[in-house]
């Protein structure tokens, strides 16, 4: 417990907790005033033309059935059906609100069109342009869902937009899952699609042993040993035009429409026949000497106007234009996996300018006997900084002549019954379409979650053993700055795990309108961080997050440290003014909360008072007003440390309210703190120490600077007095008592003791 001197407590600690009463009133209003609005398919259909959702259609019929589907016609010919995704499956986005989309598919389950109708995603409302989200989602158009519904193929992949990963995955998952459910229920085709094959599943295949034979280029290309993807400039321009990104469509690739954009080839050279043919005997022997047991290698080669290598791997070591996929698992090759080849050894092989040998990392576990794909990402500049992206897939299946397949078992595998439309999402085989989206995301983020959990464990140890840490000032400063760098660079700029007041508004709204864990679990790092922050509120209050886990707060403090090193003037506001400014953030938070009573979407837009999205999520690549605002706050922080945290941060205010309920008090104080000593109050980086000596827990960021001073024997006046008293007592204990035996000592003017016993006479 802290040692507080017997003075009146500051105003912030007296009286009833008025903010609790106010919040209770706001919650009551929220419950009584917030309307419930249900989206209807019939309400959205008049907003679109038939050809916009289904190419070649001229009219849409009335919705029918449960869930409702609207037939699409070209004249009297039935082309397919249109439905509202949320009528069939859940599509709760980052905002906690459903994302409404119209989806069209034909009788075979091929997706023909997707139209985003309504959403409340804050990252899209203000931040990432909506056409980028639409372009990423439109990569599903043309995908056949029949094989997915029968369990013969994995769900298709979509392009990911940095900063909107959860939104894109939720939207794509809803489109795929709703189509599959309608197929299995027989709503799109003539009969329900059963899951599983009626015949016995083929036995696992293995590669044929032996050295293999050497074959020429044409025979390898003819039987599928080498797979090819050929795109013309016209085909790429048409694909961008269909993507819905008008800026990309208005900036076509220059050149003749029939000119080759890229001619791409891929083959697994770890298969003996293919490897010996393409690499030559010497090259194949060198490759096999490098490969570990079970490790595979592929050859990728190409020519044309577009380079599959690009230049990203030169700057960052990652090949950002191609990606290896198997069973929905992606792999981006790095420069350490790459070997440049000058030519291909097979007879009749063309002279290709780009030939790359990629060794697949062992941990990826590429199975050459199963299908895999090389995904080509085509980039197109649509502005000074923005780019549009489209992906094209080169699929590969190893020809049977290279495989040894045992005879299948005699007993057939029973087919699974079709899932009824509207049934809950039952988990079947790992990675299947019916596996909940959040489980797939967590499996893909295993390493990120592990790193975050370890960091939270380290931070917990720092707080529990803070007394031992602050006794070593140099170590304390290195630990704190090192953790802040990790928070900013890894947690913020790399993982985009920046908590926001939007999370608080969304969580509160979900409690009142139908709470579901599925939405919150789709962002693993955000979920883990909120769990850690919630636990920390009980022990230490808001300071754990604000002082250690907030990327924007870390950016402010690190910039302030640089400014102090460069002798930038530091302004200390008068206490009376400072005390009247810090309630501004509480007013902002309550204003946002009150605005959410009327419209959560408006509250999320008003939450742009937080510069987190600009500075951390989008890394300052944004419209100039938002960028200027964020830079202005950071500039103010160079003169008034953590200016935004002190006076404007609504998330800090939201955390301070439950933080008042903390159970323990870890910050120690001396009885002299505040009267007469003011050193901690003067040196507190956020002025959270009252002139009377009390620490305001609502404002404290738990940087531990006051605790480091508390233990410093050369700077804390209390410790200095104790040290002087201790030295005086030691000196007095050295003065001889009259009549005492033994050597005599005297105290010199310098405070040192000297032996006063006469020296013995020298011997003869």
């Amino acid at each position: 417990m802290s040692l507080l001197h017997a003075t009146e407590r500051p105003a912030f600690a007296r009286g009833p907790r008025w903010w609790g009463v106010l919040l209770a009133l706001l919650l009551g209003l929220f419950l009584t005033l917030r309307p419930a609005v249900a989206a209807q398919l019939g309400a959205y259909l008049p907003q679109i033309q038939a050809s916009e959702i289904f190419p070649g259609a001229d009219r849409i019929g009335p919705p029918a059935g449960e869930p409702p589907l609207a037939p699409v016609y070209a004249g009297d010919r039935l082309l397919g059906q249109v439905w509202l995704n949320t009528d069939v499956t859940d599509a709760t986005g980052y905002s906690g609100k459903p994302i409404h989309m119209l989806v069209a598919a034909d009788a075979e389950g091929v997706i023909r069109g997707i139209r985003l109708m309504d959403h409340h995603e804050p990252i899209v409302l203000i931040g990432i342009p909506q056409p980028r989200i639409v372009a990423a989602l439109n990569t599903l158009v043309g995908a056949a869902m029949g094989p997915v519904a029968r369990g013969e193929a994995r769900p298709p992949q979509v392009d990911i937009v940095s900063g909107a990963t959860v939104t894109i995955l939720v939207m794509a998952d809803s489109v795929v899952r709703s189509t599959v459910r309608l197929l299995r229920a027989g709503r799109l085709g003539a009969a329900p699609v059963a899951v599983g094959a009626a015949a016995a599943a083929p036995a696992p295949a293995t590669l044929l042993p032996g050295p293999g034979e050497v074959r020429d280029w044409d025979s390898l290309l003819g039987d599928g040993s080498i797979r090819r993807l050929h795109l013309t400039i016209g085909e790429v321009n048409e694909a961008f035009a269909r993507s819905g990104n008008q800026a990309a469509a208005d900036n076509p690739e220059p050149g003749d429409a029939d000119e080759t954009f890229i001619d791409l080839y891929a083959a697994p050279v770890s298969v003996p026949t293919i490897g010996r043919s393409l690499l030559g005997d010497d090259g194949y022997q060198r490759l096999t000497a490098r490969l570990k047991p079970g490790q595979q290698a592929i050859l990728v080669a190409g020519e044309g106007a577009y380079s599959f290598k690009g230049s990203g791997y030169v700057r960052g070591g990652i090949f950002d234009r191609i990606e290896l996929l198997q069973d929905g698992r992606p792999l981006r090759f790095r420069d350490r996996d790459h070997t440049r080849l000058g030519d291909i050894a097979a007879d009749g092989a063309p002279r290709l300018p780009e030939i790359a040998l990629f060794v697949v990392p062992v941990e990826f576990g590429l199975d050459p006997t199963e299908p895999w794909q090389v995904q080509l990402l085509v980039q197109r500049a649509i502005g000074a900084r923005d780019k549009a992206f489209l992906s094209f897939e080169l699929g590969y299946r190893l020809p049977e002549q290279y495989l040894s397949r045992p005879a299948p078992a005699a007993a057939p595998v029973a087919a699974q019954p079709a899932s009824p439309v509207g049934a809950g999402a039952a988990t079947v085989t790992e990675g299947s379409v019916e596996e909940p989206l959040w489980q797939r995301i967590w499996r893909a983020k295993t390493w990120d979650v592990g790193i975050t959990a370890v960091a939270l464990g380290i931070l917990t140890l720092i707080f529990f053993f803070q007394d031992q840490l602050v006794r070593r000032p140099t170590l304390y400063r290195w630990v704190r700055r090192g953790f802040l760098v990790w928070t900013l660079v890894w947690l913020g700029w790399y993982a985009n795990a920046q908590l926001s007041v939007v999370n608080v508004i969304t969580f509160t709204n979900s409690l009142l309108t139908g709470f579901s864990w599925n939405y919150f679990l789709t962002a693993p790092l955000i979920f883990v961080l909120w769990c850690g922050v919630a636990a920390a509120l009980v022990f230490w209050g808001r300071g754990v997050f604000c002082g250690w886990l907030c990327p924007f707060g870390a950016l402010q403090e690190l910039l302030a440290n640089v400014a102090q090193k460069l002798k930038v003037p530091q302004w200390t506001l008068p206490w009376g003014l400072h005390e009247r400014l810090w309630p501004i953030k509480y007013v902002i938070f309550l204003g946002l909360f009150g605005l959410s009573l009327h419209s959560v979407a408006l509250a999320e837009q008003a939450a742009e008072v937080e510069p987190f999205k600009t500075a951390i999520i989008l890394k300052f690549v944004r419209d100039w007003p938002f960028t200027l605002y964020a830079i202005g706050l950071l500039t103010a922080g160079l003169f008034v440390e953590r200016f935004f945290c002190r006076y404007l941060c609504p998330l800090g205010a939201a955390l301070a309210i439950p933080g008042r309920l903390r159970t323990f008090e870890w910050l120690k104080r001396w009885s002299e703190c505040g009267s007469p000593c003011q050193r901690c109050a003067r040196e507190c980086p956020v002025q959270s120490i009252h002139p009377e000596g009390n620490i305001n827990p609502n404002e404290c960021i738990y940087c531990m600077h006051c605790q480091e001073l508390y233990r410093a024997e050369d700077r804390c006046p209390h410790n200095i007095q104790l040290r002087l008293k201790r030295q005086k007592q030691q000196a007095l204990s050295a003065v001889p008592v009259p009549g005492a035996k033994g050597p005599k000592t005297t105290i010199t003017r310098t405070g040192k003791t000297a032996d006063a016993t006469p020296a013995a006479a020298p011997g003869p």
Side-chain angles (χ1 to χ4, degrees):
M1 297 294 290
S2 61
L3 302 175
L4 298 175
H5 52 82
T7 58
E8 184 184 12
R9 297 180 68 192
F12 62 80
R14 298 197 307 265
R17 294 174 178 172
W18 56 269
W19 56 82
V21 177
L22 182 57
L23 275 182
L25 292 174
L26 289 173
L27 283 173
L29 286 172
F30 195 89
L31 282 168
T32 56
L33 298 180
R34 184 162 180 81
V37 179
Q40 299 289 334
L41 173 62
Y44 286 130
L45 290 178
Q47 301 178 26
I48 64 169
Q49 298 294 324
S51 58
E52 294 176 0
I53 192 70
F54 206 120
D58 55 24
R59 64 186 177 93
I60 301 177
E66 184 58 40
L69 274 65
V72 183
Y73 298 94
D76 294 330
R77 183 166 59 93
L78 177 66
L79 299 181
Q81 304 285 342
V82 176
W83 66 92
L84 186 65
N85 66 313
T86 50
D87 287 341
V88 184
T89 186
D90 178 61
T92 303
Y94 190 83
S95 64
K97 295 293 183 181
I99 301 174
H100 299 298
M101 296 174 288
L102 292 180
V103 185
D106 60 21
E108 302 300 323
V110 177
I111 297 174
R112 296 303 183 186
I114 304 170
R115 181 71 180 267
L116 178 60
M117 303 304 297
D118 181 54
H119 70 89
H120 302 275
E121 298 299 275
I123 194 69
V124 183
L125 290 169
I126 298 181
I128 296 176
Q130 184 164 303
R132 291 184 60 189
I133 303 297
V134 173
L137 188 64
N138 279 340
T139 57
L140 292 175
V141 175
M145 294 293 104
V148 178
R150 292 189 294 272
E152 300 171 356
R154 298 285 182 177
Q157 303 296 309
V158 294
D159 294 341
I160 296 301
V161 177
S162 178
T165 303
V166 172
T167 298
I168 291 293
L169 291 177
V170 167
M171 294 168 71
D173 179 72
S174 178
V175 171
V176 171
R177 194 188 296 270
S178 64
T179 310
V180 167
R181 287 187 179 179
L182 292 172
L183 277 170
R184 290 178 178 175
R187 296 294 304 280
L188 297 182
V193 176
V195 183
T206 57
L207 289 175
L208 284 172
E213 58 179 330
V214 176
R215 301 169 58 196
D216 61 26
W217 175 267
D218 290 336
S219 64
L220 292 171
L221 189 62
D223 67 5
S225 300
I226 302 172
R227 296 298 173 97
R228 179 188 186 190
L229 172 66
H230 182 266
L231 295 172
T232 65
I233 290 178
E235 290 172 335
V236 173
N237 288 337
E238 290 175 5
F240 273 107
R242 291 193 305 268
S243 70
N245 189 328
Q246 191 59 43
D250 293 341
N251 185 28
E253 196 75 25
D256 184 70
D258 295 329
E259 184 181 344
T260 297
F261 179 77
I262 190 170
D263 200 5
L264 190 68
Y265 301 89
V269 289
S270 48
V271 176
T273 294
I274 301 175
R276 289 184 61 203
S277 301
L278 298 182
L279 304 178
D281 284 331
D282 291 342
Y284 179 70
Q285 292 300 326
R286 288 194 298 269
L287 173 64
T288 54
R290 291 174 55 191
L291 297 179
K292 299 176 182 178
Q295 191 174 22
Q296 309 299 325
I298 67 172
L299 182 142
V300 181
E303 64 177 344
Y306 190 73
S307 166
F308 73 84
K309 288 186 176 181
S311 58
Y313 76 99
V314 178
R315 300 188 303 271
I318 299 178
F319 289 83
D320 58 354
R321 295 189 177 185
I322 57 171
E323 188 175 36
L324 178 66
L325 297 170
Q326 188 173 58
D327 294 336
R329 296 177 296 119
L331 172 68
R332 286 282 175 87
F333 291 110
R334 304 187 68 90
D335 51 3
R336 61 173 176 265
D337 308 319
H338 167 254
T339 301
R340 182 183 179 277
L341 301 180
D343 55 14
I344 296 174
D347 291 339
R351 300 287 297 179
L352 300 173
E354 287 188 327
I355 307 172
L357 174 64
F358 293 108
V359 174
V360 182
V362 176
E363 56 269 20
F364 181 78
L366 177 65
D367 185 354
T369 67
E370 295 295 329
W372 50 270
Q373 303 84 35
V374 172
Q375 186 167 271
L376 175 70
L377 188 67
V378 177
Q379 308 174 7
R380 173 171 291 182
I382 57 175
R385 296 184 177 180
D386 293 335
K387 291 183 178 180
F389 300 88
L390 277 183
S391 62
F392 299 87
E393 192 172 280
L394 186 157
Y396 191 94
R397 180 185 289 273
L398 192 65
E400 287 292 326
Q401 66 199 53
Y402 302 113
L403 301 176
S404 173
R405 199 181 295 276
V413 179
Q416 301 178 21
S419 300
V421 177
T427 301
V428 290
T429 57
E430 181 179 343
S432 70
V433 70
E434 288 299 337
E435 181 183 24
L437 174 64
W438 69 266
Q439 292 185 13
R440 302 203 297 270
I441 295 176
W442 276 74
R443 188 164 54 250
K445 295 282 187 179
T446 301
W447 278 103
D448 290 351
V449 171
I451 292 172
T452 305
V454 169
L456 291 178
I458 293 173
L459 185 60
T460 302
L461 294 177
I462 290 173
F463 273 74
F464 271 110
F465 296 99
Q466 59 182 278
D467 214 30
Q468 288 74 20
L469 178 63
V470 297
R471 292 176 187 269
R472 300 163 177 82
T474 302
L475 177 62
Y476 152 74
R477 285 190 290 272
W478 277 103
V479 168
R480 174 155 179 79
R481 290 172 183 171
F483 201 95
L484 290 178
V485 169
W486 175 85
T487 297
L488 172 63
V489 176
W490 193 90
L491 196 62
W493 285 336
Y494 169 75
N496 290 337
Q498 169 73 66
L499 303 188
S500 167
V501 72
V502 173
N503 304 136
V504 179
I505 294 173
T506 300
F507 182 78
T508 305
N509 181 68
S510 68
L511 290 176
L512 304 174
T513 59
F515 181 82
S516 173
W517 283 112
N518 288 348
Y519 150 65
F520 297 98
L521 290 169
T522 54
L525 297 188
I526 298 295
F527 182 84
V528 170
L529 281 175
W530 271 116
C531 290
V533 170
L537 287 174
V538 177
F539 286 85
W540 301 285
R542 62 167 276 219
V544 176
F545 170 74
C546 296
W548 296 80
L549 291 173
C550 177
F552 188 77
L555 176 59
Q556 289 182 95
E557 184 164 331
L558 293 172
L559 288 177
N561 291 339
V562 174
Q564 291 159 13
K565 289 287 185 183
L566 298 176
K567 307 299 183 183
V568 174
Q570 300 297 298
W571 300 341
T572 301
L573 274 63
W575 177 260
L577 176 62
H578 169 70
E579 192 176 27
R580 285 161 178 78
L581 289 178
W582 78 40
I584 293 176
K585 59 179 173 286
Y586 297 94
V587 174
I588 294 174
F589 168 66
L590 293 175
L592 291 173
F593 192 88
L595 184 59
S596 70
L597 303 180
H598 171 68
S599 169
V600 174
L602 287 178
E604 290 167 349
Q605 293 184 48
E608 285 294 330
V609 68
E610 293 179 328
F612 304 160
K613 188 189 300 182
T614 301
I616 304 301
I617 306 300
L618 301 178
K619 304 174 185 66
F620 297 99
V621 181
R622 205 174 179 194
D623 294 339
W624 69 265
F626 298 101
T627 303
L628 187 62
Y629 172 67
I631 293 175
L633 291 175
L634 292 173
T635 302
L638 299 179
F639 302 93
V640 180
E641 186 170 345
R642 283 187 177 249
F643 175 85
F644 177 77
C645 297
R646 294 195 199 191
Y647 307 122
L648 300 177
C649 182
L651 179 58
L655 293 177
I657 295 173
R660 291 286 294 171
L661 303 177
R662 72 191 189 286
T663 306
F664 306 97
E665 182 59 71
W666 300 76
L667 300 178
K668 300 179 175 65
R669 312 293 288 148
W670 299 114
S671 58
E672 296 92 339
C673 291
S675 178
C677 180
Q678 295 288 326
R679 180 154 193 172
C680 286
R682 289 195 305 269
E683 295 190 17
C684 177
V686 292
Q687 288 183 266
S688 66
I689 301 179
H690 197 275
E692 295 176 352
N694 299 324
I695 297 175
N696 184 351
N698 296 340
E699 305 303 316
C700 176
I701 62 170
Y702 225 108
C703 65
M704 301 185 192
H705 179 68
C706 62
Q707 299 306 286
E708 191 260 327
L709 282 175
Y710 178 88
R711 292 296 182 185
E713 294 195 355
D714 57 340
R715 288 179 293 153
C716 176
H718 176 88
N719 290 331
I720 292 174
Q721 292 296 325
L722 290 179
R723 177 168 53 83
L724 292 176
K725 289 179 181 179
R726 189 166 56 249
Q727 291 176 350
K728 184 176 180 180
Q729 290 174 354
Q730 292 174 351
L732 291 175
S733 65
V735 176
V737 179
K741 296 181 180 181
K744 298 180 180 180
T745 58
T746 60
I747 301 176
T748 66
R749 294 180 65 184
T750 62
K752 297 182 179 180
T753 59
D755 190 356
T757 305

